[in-house]
Amino acid sequence: MIMKRNKFFIIKFSLTALCLTTAANVACAQEVEARRQPSLEDARAVLVRLAELSRKQELRTEAAQNLLTGEMLKTKANSFGKLTEAPDKILLTEKNRAVGRFQMSGAHERAVDVYFYLEYDKSWKIYASRATALAGIFEQSYSFMKNRTDLSETEKLDFANLKLTLAPDRDLRVWFSENRQKLDELRALLQKTGGKTSTVYVGWDEKQFPEAFRMLRKLNLRTAIVKPNGDVEIVIGGISDNTVGFLYSPSNKPPAISPDSYIWVEKVAEKWFLFRTT
């Protein structure tokens, strides 16, 4: 009888130990899996490493190729140019996707924002890069006008708009803060203008929306788009679908960031966002 009890005790003890061991393994596995979840710090490290390899003109090396995927593997350049050492901001766009912003010194001694897109599959890899693509005429016009002292009033307005259109994100954030009240007044006027059942475009025809037209020009802005959902997109400038501006979203939900449309969307105030498209 004692032997049977001992066997029962041993079996029970073994099962308990097995359960504890299994629970520990599950907990350990969960901890390991948690550690494998996408981390923006890990994404930042990948971007910093890419910038380092770019400065060394080593983008075609195996070390660099291991950081890339998708269309980025097709790049034939050895460098992305004079990038800053690290991104100044990283945003998580989806659970396993992110975007980081660098500044690049261009040929015109002007900072240009460049955005690198990452996806996570066991590790972060960079799959695309974008910047607002503006025709060379923008740079040429700006260079031609900036040293002139005989600009007409119309040319002064055009130059002010060019300066804003070509400005990096950091300067646009400052400009927004300085003009926030006027932008809110413009936004309120635009929302009254239309967009109840269809999208309304404001800015090209002075006769159709004279007051909104004058406010846009006074702020050195080009156009505005009022959508039925209440969103107001104020376009600073650009060409075709390569634009930069500010977006007001009553729902506080801006469009998603992607390399194919809105390449950058950054909150600058409650319900207000800086955006770039391509």
Side-chain angles (χ1 to χ4, degrees):
M1 187 68 176
I2 293 174
M3 187 178 294
K4 288 182 179 180
R5 286 179 179 175
N6 286 342
K7 285 182 179 179
F8 175 76
F9 176 78
I10 291 169
I11 292 171
K12 185 177 181 181
F13 177 80
S14 299
L15 288 173
T16 302
L18 178 62
C19 289
L20 289 172
T21 302
T22 302
N25 287 338
V26 170
C28 182
Q30 289 174 342
E31 183 178 352
V32 169
E33 183 60 29
R35 290 178 179 176
R36 287 178 181 170
Q37 292 303 307
S39 159
L40 286 183
E41 283 304 311
D42 291 341
R44 177 185 173 82
V46 169
L47 290 170
V48 168
R49 177 60 173 152
L50 182 74
E52 178 187 6
L53 292 167
S54 176
R55 286 194 302 276
K56 295 179 179 179
Q57 297 192 355
E58 296 178 356
L59 288 183
R60 302 306 303 157
T61 63
E62 184 178 355
Q65 295 294 295
N66 288 337
L67 302 177
L68 307 177
T69 189
E71 69 181 59
M72 292 294 282
L73 286 173
K74 299 177 184 178
T75 180
K76 296 181 180 180
N78 289 320
S79 172
F80 290 115
K82 298 179 181 179
L83 293 176
T84 46
E85 292 186 3
D88 72 316
K89 195 175 186 68
I90 301 177
L91 299 174
L92 192 67
T93 59
E94 298 178 39
K95 183 180 179 181
N96 65 335
R97 292 204 166 190
V99 57
R101 177 179 60 200
F102 284 85
Q103 287 72 48
M104 180 177 69
S105 300
H108 300 271
E109 298 181 357
R110 182 178 58 81
V112 176
D113 292 298
V114 183
Y115 311 96
F116 289 88
Y117 304 84
L118 307 94
E119 60 184 7
Y120 184 88
D121 183 11
K122 297 181 181 178
S123 65
W124 285 108
K125 291 195 174 187
I126 302 158
Y127 68 93
S129 67
R130 295 289 186 272
T132 302
L134 297 175
I137 189 65
F138 281 79
E139 291 283 5
Q140 293 170 15
S141 298
Y142 178 82
S143 298
F144 174 71
M145 298 172 76
K146 73 175 181 178
N147 295 320
R148 284 182 55 190
T149 57
D150 60 340
L151 295 177
S152 66
E153 289 304 311
T154 299
E155 288 174 326
K156 287 178 181 177
L157 291 174
D158 289 341
F159 179 70
N161 176 257
L162 272 174
K163 188 175 180 180
L164 267 184
T165 301
L166 295 171
D169 293 349
R170 61 171 180 256
D171 291 350
L172 292 178
R173 292 195 301 271
V174 172
W175 185 90
F176 175 87
S177 298
E178 294 172 346
N179 294 275
R180 169 72 188 278
Q181 182 177 347
K182 293 177 182 177
L183 285 169
D184 273 322
E185 292 172 3
L186 175 60
R187 181 265 307 166
L189 175 63
L190 289 168
Q191 287 179 316
K192 292 178 182 178
T193 298
K196 304 297 182 184
T197 58
S198 60
T199 299
V200 173
Y201 298 87
V202 181
W204 294 112
D205 186 353
E206 182 178 3
K207 294 180 181 179
Q208 187 176 11
F209 305 106
E211 189 176 356
F213 182 92
R214 285 193 295 270
M215 289 185 72
L216 282 167
R217 291 299 174 267
K218 195 171 182 179
L219 286 167
N220 301 314
L221 305 170
R222 282 296 178 192
T223 59
I225 302 169
V226 187
K227 300 181 180 180
N229 65 356
D231 284 1
V232 177
E233 197 170 281
I234 299 173
V235 179
I236 295 171
I239 185 169
S240 185
D241 56 354
N242 293 281
T243 58
V244 56
F246 294 99
L247 169 72
Y248 179 83
S249 170
S251 63
N252 215 22
K253 294 180 179 179
I257 299 174
S258 80
D260 304 316
S261 182
Y262 287 85
I263 61 173
W264 183 256
V265 179
E266 179 181 4
K267 191 168 188 175
V268 291
E270 187 65 18
K271 299 182 180 181
W272 278 102
F273 301 85
L274 166 65
F275 75 85
R276 290 184 183 273
T277 68
T278 190

